[in-house]
């Protein structure tokens, strides 16, 4: 049982995210691959084929070990969501990779206690070793590109309907009424919101408010962060039909195709330019040297994928429309 304790102040600070969080969807989709919920059975077959074709199965196995569906998984994999703002995959992965060593060690130790035989690489992540974190970041990107990104339109449509329903409810009857219509597993017994949960957990909001984030790939139950001291968030499954049959089979994984076209390093640089970056920041985000970042940016600029503008003593690199279309498979 999960019990979320509200104060009067918290009821005025309930927020509804307009779209899913990329990292939560990545982790929860992994759970659907493992558990094979009937709603996702056609997607699961499709995703497994795409992962195998792109050579991403080892990444998926690593992530599934790090985020098992039936027990605790580390909070650092799903950094806190900003109120009123969505977190894109690139920003989310940056936050994951910049997790403090103390948090890495605390979370992975808790996970290791639940695993019958923790893999050796888990301690590398716990220690914050750069190579292990780079592998984690790459694995998240590659898996998301193959299994989640091709179905963004279907996810957005389903989530949009649910968000509109809850928003109308909030406007007509107030935020408290939203808590009574989240789903069949929820029970609103003022001032406590209760829902079925695999463990006993109490979350005291204490005036911090609550961010409600819709989830397309979450299906069995809502989920929250294990550490109650982190900004409160509740990932809530959206209303859906009994079965989802993807309309068309996805093509080659966008991320993998981009790697093959540009090379892994140059493709990473292009992905990192979701917002303007200086050469120094770009090098840090891409985990490459300053000279290499400058060289890749110049090559992408000559191809019309990046625009560069001088800002005083530094330069600012941004993606062009063509570059953004390539990143997102447009």
């Amino acid at each position: 049982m999960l019990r979320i304790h509200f104060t009067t102040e918290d009821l005025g600070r309930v927020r509804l995210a307009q779209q899913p969080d990329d990292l939560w969807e990545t982790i929860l989709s992994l759970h659907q691959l493992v558990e094979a919920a009937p709603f996702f059975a056609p997607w699961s077959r499709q995703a497994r084929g795409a992962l195998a074709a792109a050579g991403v199965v080892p990444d998926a196995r690593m992530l599934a070990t790090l985020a098992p569906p039936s027990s605790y998984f580390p909070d650092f994999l799903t950094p806190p969501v900003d109120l009123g703002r969505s977190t894109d995959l690139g920003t989310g992965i940056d936050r994951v990779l910049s997790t403090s060593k103390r948090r890495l060690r605390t979370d992975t130790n808790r996970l290791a206690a639940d695993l019958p035989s923790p893999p050796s690489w888990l301690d590398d992540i716990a220690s914050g070793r750069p190579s292990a974190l780079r592998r984690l970041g790459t694995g998240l990107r590659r898996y998301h590109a193959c299994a989640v990104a091709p179905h963004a339109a279907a996810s957005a449509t389903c989530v949009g309907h649910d968000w509109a329903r809850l928003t109308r409810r909030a406007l007509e009857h107030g935020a408290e009424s939203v808590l009574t219509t989240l789903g069949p597993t929820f029970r609103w017994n003022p001032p406590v919101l209760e829902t079925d949960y695999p463990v006993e957990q109490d979350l005291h909001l204490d005036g911090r408010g609550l961010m409600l984030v819709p989830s397309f790939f979450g299906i069995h139950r809502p989920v929250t962060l294990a550490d109650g001291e982190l900004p409160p968030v509740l990932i809530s499954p959206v209303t859906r039909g009994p079965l989802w049959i993807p309309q068309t089979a996805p093509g080659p994984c966008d991320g993998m195709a981009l790697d093959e076209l540009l090379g892994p390093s140059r493709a990473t640089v292009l992905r990192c330019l979701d917002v303007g970056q200086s050469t120094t920041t770009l090098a840090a985000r891409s985990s490459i040297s300053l000279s290499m970042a400058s060289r890749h940016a110049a090559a992408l600029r000559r191809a019309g994928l990046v625009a560069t503008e001088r800002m005083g003593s530094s330069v600012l690199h941004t993606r062009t429309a063509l570059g953004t279309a390539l990143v997102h498979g447009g």
Side-chain angles (χ1 to χ4, degrees):
M1 178 76 69
L2 171 64
R3 291 172 289 270
I4 304 177
H5 300 260
F6 287 76
T7 65
T8 302
E9 189 176 10
D10 290 314
L11 290 174
R13 293 184 175 179
V14 175
R15 300 290 185 269
L16 298 174
Q18 295 188 41
Q19 59 189 29
D21 178 86
D22 280 342
L23 280 175
W24 276 105
E25 293 301 277
T26 298
I27 299 303
L28 294 175
S29 71
L30 277 162
H31 294 176
Q32 303 312 329
L33 274 182
V34 174
E35 296 187 327
F39 178 84
F40 286 106
W43 164 83
S44 178
R45 290 191 294 270
Q46 208 173 79
R48 288 176 183 275
L51 292 168
V56 186
V57 171
D59 296 300
R61 287 175 178 162
M62 174 191 68
L63 295 173
T65 300
L66 196 56
S70 58
S71 64
Y72 166 84
F73 63 84
D75 284 336
F76 72 77
L77 288 174
T78 51
V81 178
D82 292 336
L83 287 179
R85 301 170 62 186
S86 61
T87 300
D88 64 87
L89 184 70
T91 301
I93 291 177
D94 283 348
R95 291 181 181 178
V96 171
L97 302 187
S98 61
T99 303
S100 69
K101 289 187 177 181
R102 180 179 179 182
R103 168 64 66 180
L104 289 172
R105 177 61 67 181
T106 298
D107 286 5
T108 50
N109 281 352
R110 181 171 178 176
L111 171 64
D114 292 336
L115 298 178
S117 180
S120 58
W121 53 258
L122 189 60
D123 187 65
D124 293 336
I125 291 177
S127 301
R129 293 191 173 92
S131 59
L133 294 180
R134 282 196 297 270
R135 181 190 174 196
L136 173 58
T138 299
L140 287 167
R141 288 183 188 277
R142 285 162 57 89
Y143 172 82
H144 182 274
C146 278
V148 180
H151 307 289
S155 171
T157 299
C158 186
V159 168
H161 291 160
D162 219 53
W163 180 83
R165 175 182 66 86
L166 293 176
T167 300
R168 284 196 303 269
R169 183 83 182 183
L171 290 174
E172 294 172 2
H173 304 287
E176 186 173 354
S177 69
V178 172
L179 303 179
T180 68
T181 57
L182 288 176
T185 66
F186 288 93
R187 295 168 293 279
W188 174 237
N189 297 314
V192 180
L193 180 65
E194 300 176 341
T195 184
D196 298 338
Y197 215 59
V199 297
E200 292 290 324
Q201 183 173 342
D202 285 271
L203 174 58
H204 294 268
L205 300 181
D206 295 328
R208 295 175 294 169
L210 180 67
M211 184 66 167
L212 294 173
V213 180
S215 174
F216 180 71
F217 280 97
I219 191 170
H220 295 301
R221 56 181 177 266
V223 61
T224 188
L225 297 167
D227 187 348
E229 297 301 314
L230 292 171
V233 61
L234 184 67
I235 311 302
S236 180
V238 296
T239 304
R240 71 189 88 231
L243 183 68
W244 170 43
I245 301 178
Q247 294 301 306
T248 57
C253 300
D254 294 339
M256 301 305 99
L258 192 63
D259 285 356
E260 292 176 5
L261 178 66
L262 302 178
S265 295
R266 195 160 291 173
T268 297
V269 167
L270 189 61
R271 291 190 191 100
C272 285
L273 290 173
D274 41 12
V275 295
Q277 307 281 344
S278 68
T279 306
T280 301
T281 303
L282 183 59
R285 288 191 65 187
S286 305
S287 300
I288 57 179
S289 68
L290 191 62
S291 61
M292 189 61 69
S294 179
R295 189 179 308 169
H296 285 324
L300 294 169
R301 182 172 62 251
R302 289 193 295 271
L305 306 180
V306 167
T308 301
E309 180 182 4
R310 180 159 293 281
M311 307 286 288
S313 59
S314 62
V315 295
L316 188 70
H317 307 290
T318 56
R319 274 201 313 250
T320 63
L322 176 59
T324 297
L326 275 177
V327 167
H328 295 294

